[in-house]
Amino acid sequence: MLVGLRVLEVGGGPAAVCGKMLADLGAEVIKVEPPGGEAARRVGPFVRDREGDDDSLSWIAYNTDKQSITLDLAAPDGQALFRRLVAGSALVVDALEAGQMARWGLDGASLRRERPALVTTSITPFGQTGPYSRYKADDLVVMSMAGHVQITGDADRRPLNISLPQAPMLAGADAAVGSLIALRHARRRGVGQHVDISMQHSAAWFLGTTVPYQELAGVRGQRIGTLRGGGSSGARQRQVWPCRDGHVFFFMIGGQQGAKTCRELVRWMADEGQDDPVLQSFDWESFDMASASQELIDRLSDPLAAFFATRTKKQVLDAAVGRGISVCPLLSMGDLLDDASLNAHDFWMRLPHPALPEGLHYPTRYVRASASETGTVSPPPRVGEHNAAVHAELGLSDGEIGRLRGAGVV
């Protein structure tokens, strides 16, 4: 889809996620690393515990299908070379500290003086402007200030963050979408723009209705673990249910949509010899979680819990698909690797890696298009793997390359 689009990527984390998404759509993404490589290359866990520049699993996850050049952007010669690269590029994405590109004279306003249609995208914890713009923050801080940590975990225990860092992924995806919108505008009008991504804002949007619910209903979200609540009655309903080989996700809901799925689940229970007269005769259309008593919810839940405990995740999934029940298994990574639907769609590939003769299991693509090939083609680049090709493209002489290398610029 994006063949012919050149992207310069500076900084790791969310910029790498953004670059990965664009590369999977066919863009030529050149990762501009400091001499010696990005620090993200040395973040564990590692393939077979090898702490090499090419063995970080998070690095492998977000840097396939890219090129790598080394360039010291703090040096005037490095800045000059970067501007020459910009002349043939449509987009620059960076995840450096707010204002850093401007301090180097490489911000959008400066670069667009020579390339007016250039789109620049910055990703920072709190945006380029505003009261928090100069604050530093990792994933835990961003997710806390976005509201996630307050409502995650059990009520009688400490707040929790989601396991793997989510804020860089959410902000990276928003950066990719925002950049594509700005690129379309630049193509139609010949005018580039700056896309300013706040990781906090991206993470807050991911909360969906939680933030406006507090504003509109005056109900503040609380930590309730695997339960669901928030109604005026104070009652809470289970959402995660133990089954024979793990857990499944399901919650009761009323109205036309909820009644259909709940009735189908009750019918499945009856077909399996676990009929319950209260569930069979219950008026699911009128069920209202917001006003239901805890006693009623417990009476409806107990037979469901007993039934789920006798089923496997596969049995639940088969019934969900076959009967149209809104219930799903909570899958482990092993379950996903063995998933029949994913394998039928060739979702997994074997990504080459020198330490693994069989390669790494790797998602092939995040989108399949009818008219374009998408997905991962090549493993992540080695540090500066494409220096020579880019130097040749820029017309650098051997003497000039030697001088730059000696000065630690490339």
Side-chain angles (χ1 to χ4, degrees), residues 258-316:
K260 180 180 183 300
T261 195
C262 289
R263 281 210 176 89
E264 283 297 329
L265 175 57
V266 171
R267 188 173 293 116
W268 179 33
M269 294 170 61
D271 291 344
E272 297 290 330
Q274 292 185 239
D275 192 6
D276 184 281
V278 173
L279 295 180
Q280 287 279 11
S281 60
F282 188 71
D283 181 7
W284 292 104
E285 281 87 350
S286 300
F287 176 70
D288 180 12
M289 174 64 195
S291 59
S293 68
Q294 190 66 59
E295 180 182 9
L296 173 61
I297 290 176
D298 290 344
R299 176 60 186 88
L300 298 174
S301 298
D302 288 346
L304 296 178
F307 178 72
F308 284 135
T310 66
R311 305 294 131 190
T312 66
K313 289 185 287 188
K314 185 178 186 307
Q315 288 172 326
V316 169

Side-chain angles (χ1 to χ4, degrees), residues 25-58:
L25 296 179
E28 177 193 10
V29 178
I30 300 177
K31 176 176 281 290
V32 181
E33 304 187 61
E38 271 186 14
R41 287 181 176 271
R42 294 171 284 280
V43 174
F46 301 94
V47 176
R48 291 190 174 174
D49 296 326
R50 299 173 11 147
E51 297 189 21
D53 286 343
D54 304 311
D55 298 314
S56 165
L57 288 172
S58 60

